[in-house]
């Protein structure tokens, strides 16, 4: 396939752009930097919206997972533009990339948050989300994220088209929704299951919507904010519990003839949610962990083994769930106006991070580069 030597632009592209750049924990700065130039098989995207993920916040705060401890190499690099939840328009692309991804100039697109190597053991077996190099946008050098006016899609990216009729911040919600759906897939929810979802933030609300699509017997949503619990009910929760006011254990036992929940989906990243889940589950129940924790969490492992013989599963990224997530967004079956609560320009990224860190005044916070 012959690469196009002269690429027609949808719009004029300047030589420089604004971008948020990571210089280390608590040191992110808005800078003027060159607009990236796509190579063969790549594409340049004008970013329309980028969500602030809980992992972005923990990286900013200096969590050990990202910056390393006890001799472990850092997972995040300095000099990188953050942002892995994004949507934008194609402004430069060659024929090879256009045919490979099925997109053209002007299309609204997103890419899965990881750029797989397609060569390691996991990629060869179809588990690309566990790729050994693990190049996720916005954390490692060479894979800048979307907190910028423009970003580059490398040739190995997984690219998806999204309706241009959605609000940009709604379209960018495809990444956290795909992650939530993967956690639901890991749970293998059945019709007679009682499912508990911990946390009614972006991930938890997606878990509730995904679990509802599996038609379980009952979904219980847990949070400490009444407005988030109201959103949970609109996303499909049958019962909501404010755990600051009520003990969820009594509610779950009443629903399950005193046995406990069949499935517990953890989407908060708060240490207290882990023992809570182990307590709420019945014997041989399923615990699914999606949260990203700031620090290590200790639990009584005897509950998992001798007491209950639990299945404890992790979930990472959103492999093979993006088409479903995009269909859900385009169907407008979720209350997206109330989920996507705040949008800021790039220059106010610190306000966005502050809101995400507070957790009580927002659900999904996004930056709008343009």
């Amino acid at each position: 396939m012959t690469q196009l030597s002269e690429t027609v632009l949808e719009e004029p592209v300047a030589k420089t752009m604004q971008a948020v750049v990571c210089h280390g924990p608590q040191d992110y700065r808005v800078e003027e930097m060159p607009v990236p130039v796509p190579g063969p098989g790549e594409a340049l995207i004008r970013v329309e919206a980028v969500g602030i993920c809980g992992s972005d916040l923990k990286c900013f705060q200096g969590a050990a997972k990202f910056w390393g401890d006890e001799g472990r190499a850092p997972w995040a690099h300095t000099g990188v533009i953050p942002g892995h939840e994004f949507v934008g328009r194609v402004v430069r692309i060659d024929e090879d990339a256009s045919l490979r991804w099925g997109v053209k100039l002007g299309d609204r697109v997103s890419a899965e948050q990881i750029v797989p190597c397609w060569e390691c053991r996991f990629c060869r077996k179809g588990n690309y989300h566990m790729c050994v190099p693990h190049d996720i946008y916005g954390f490692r050098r060479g894979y800048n994220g979307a907190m910028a006016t423009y970003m580059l899609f490398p040739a190995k990216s997984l690219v998806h088209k999204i309706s241009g009729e959605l609000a940009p911040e709604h379209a960018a919600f495809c990444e956290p929704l795909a992650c939530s759906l993967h956690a639901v897939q890991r749970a293998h929810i059945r019709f007679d299951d009682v499912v508990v979802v911990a946390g009614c933030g972006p991930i938890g609300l997606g878990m509730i919507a995904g679990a509802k699509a599996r038609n379980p017997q009952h979904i219980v949503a847990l949070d400490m904010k009444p407005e988030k619990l109201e959103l949970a009910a609109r996303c499909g929760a049958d019962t909501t519990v404010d755990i600051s006011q009520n003990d969820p254990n009594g509610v779950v036992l009443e629903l399950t003839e005193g046995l406990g929940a069949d499935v517990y989906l953890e989407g908060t990243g708060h240490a207290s949610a882990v023992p809570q889940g182990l307590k709420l589950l019945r014997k041989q129940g399923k615990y699914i962990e999606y949260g990203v924790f700031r620090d290590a969490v200790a639990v009584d492992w005897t509950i998992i083994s001798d007491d209950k013989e639990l299945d404890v599963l992790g979930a990472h990224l959103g492999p093979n769930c993006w088409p479903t997530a995009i269909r859900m967004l385009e169907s407008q079956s979720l209350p997206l106006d109330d989920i996507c609560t705040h949008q800021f320009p790039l220059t106010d990224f610190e306000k966005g991070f502050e809101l995400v860190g507070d957790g009580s005044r927002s659900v999904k916070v996004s930056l709008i580069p343009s």
Side-chain angles (χ1 to χ4, degrees), residues 20-28 49-63 65-67 75-77 80-86 113 136-140 143-147 172 175-176 202-203 291-294 317 349-350 352-354 356-357 364-367:
V20 177
V21 181
C22 168
H23 290 276
Q26 304 288 343
D27 187 8
Y28 286 25
V50 51
I52 301 175
C53 177
S55 61
D56 292 322
L57 176 68
K58 290 180 173 68
C59 186
F60 175 75
Q61 292 172 333
K65 169 183 171 63
F66 300 97
W67 297 106
W75 195 74
H77 297 161
V80 175
I81 300 169
H84 59 274
E85 304 178 3
F86 50 78
Q113 61 280 83
I136 294 179
Y137 288 107
F139 293 105
R140 300 203 177 183
Y143 296 88
N144 277 323
M147 293 187 187
E175 193 276 348
I203 294 295
V292 177
F293 295 91
R294 177 178 173 84
L317 305 187
F349 76 91
E350 289 178 299
F353 275 69
E354 180 184 351
V356 175
K364 171 48 67 179
V365 179
S366 301
L367 302 178

Side-chain angles (χ1 to χ4, degrees), residues 274-275 277-284 299-310 312:
V274 180
L278 300 180
K279 179 180 180 180
L280 290 175
L281 283 168
R282 62 164 171 81
K283 293 180 179 180
Q284 297 187 316
V299 297
D300 180 0
W301 278 76
T302 305
I303 298 172
I304 298 168
S305 56
D306 195 48
D307 290 358
K308 292 188 177 181
E309 196 180 76
L310 299 176
V312 178

Side-chain angles (χ1 to χ4, degrees), residues 1-283:
M1 188 69 64
T2 302
Q3 180 196 349
L4 296 183
S5 58
E6 296 292 335
T7 305
V8 179
L9 301 182
E10 180 194 49
E11 60 180 38
V13 176
K15 292 183 179 181
T16 63
M17 66 179 186
Q18 276 193 329
V20 177
V21 181
C22 168
H23 290 276
Q26 304 288 343
D27 187 8
Y28 286 25
R29 311 170 200 167
V30 176
E31 299 179 1
E32 195 79 11
M33 58 190 307
V35 172
V37 178
E42 299 182 332
L44 183 67
I45 309 301
R46 174 170 50 82
V47 180
E48 293 184 307
V50 51
I52 301 175
C53 177
S55 61
D56 292 322
L57 176 68
K58 290 180 173 68
C59 186
F60 175 75
Q61 292 172 333
K65 169 183 171 63
F66 300 97
W67 297 106
D69 62 352
E70 298 179 356
R72 184 177 62 179
W75 195 74
H77 297 161
T78 57
V80 175
I81 300 169
H84 59 274
E85 304 178 3
F86 50 78
V87 68
R89 299 278 182 171
V90 178
V91 296
R92 181 176 289 171
I93 192 168
D94 66 18
E95 186 179 9
D96 177 50
S98 180
L99 292 174
R100 183 179 351 106
W101 292 326
V103 301
K104 62 183 185 302
L105 286 172
D107 281 348
R108 172 180 275 172
V109 293
S110 186
E112 297 194 26
Q113 61 280 83
I114 191 168
V115 182
C117 73
W118 300 114
E119 297 173 359
C120 70
R121 174 179 178 175
F122 297 102
C123 285
R124 292 197 310 269
K125 289 182 176 291
N127 297 315
Y128 64 88
H129 64 302
M130 302 307 295
C131 174
V132 173
H134 224 71
D135 292 317
I136 294 179
Y137 288 107
F139 293 105
R140 300 203 177 183
R141 293 190 190 105
Y143 296 88
N144 277 323
M147 293 187 187
T149 312
Y150 295 94
M151 70 178 298
L152 198 68
F153 281 6
K156 294 180 179 180
S157 302
L158 288 156
V159 177
H160 302 274
K161 288 176 62 174
I162 306 178
S163 170
E165 296 183 5
L166 292 171
E169 62 272 19
H170 296 178
F173 192 66
C174 59
E175 193 276 348
L177 183 55
C179 292
S180 302
L181 297 181
H182 178 50
V184 171
Q185 277 191 331
R186 293 280 280 164
H188 294 287
I189 293 170
R190 301 177 301 185
F191 295 138
D192 60 348
D193 281 345
V194 172
V195 178
V196 176
V197 177
C200 298
I203 294 295
L205 293 173
M207 288 173 171
I208 291 165
K212 190 68 173 180
R214 297 288 179 121
N215 292 307
Q217 179 189 147
H218 207 92
I219 299 174
V220 181
L222 310 180
D223 205 283
M224 300 175 67
K225 300 298 176 184
E227 59 274 18
K228 290 186 178 180
L229 291 169
E230 189 272 334
L231 264 181
R234 292 166 62 189
C235 287
D238 302 294
T239 298
T240 62
V241 181
D242 182 342
I243 60 172
S244 69
Q245 304 294 324
N246 298 289
D247 179 7
N249 193 53
V251 175
V252 171
L253 291 177
E254 184 175 348
L255 287 169
T256 60
E257 299 178 342
L259 296 176
D262 301 282
V263 175
Y264 180 84
L265 294 160
E266 201 294 297
T268 69
H270 292 290
S272 61
V274 180
Q276 172 183 262
L278 300 180
K279 179 180 180 180
L280 290 175
L281 283 168
R282 62 164 171 81
K283 293 180 179 180

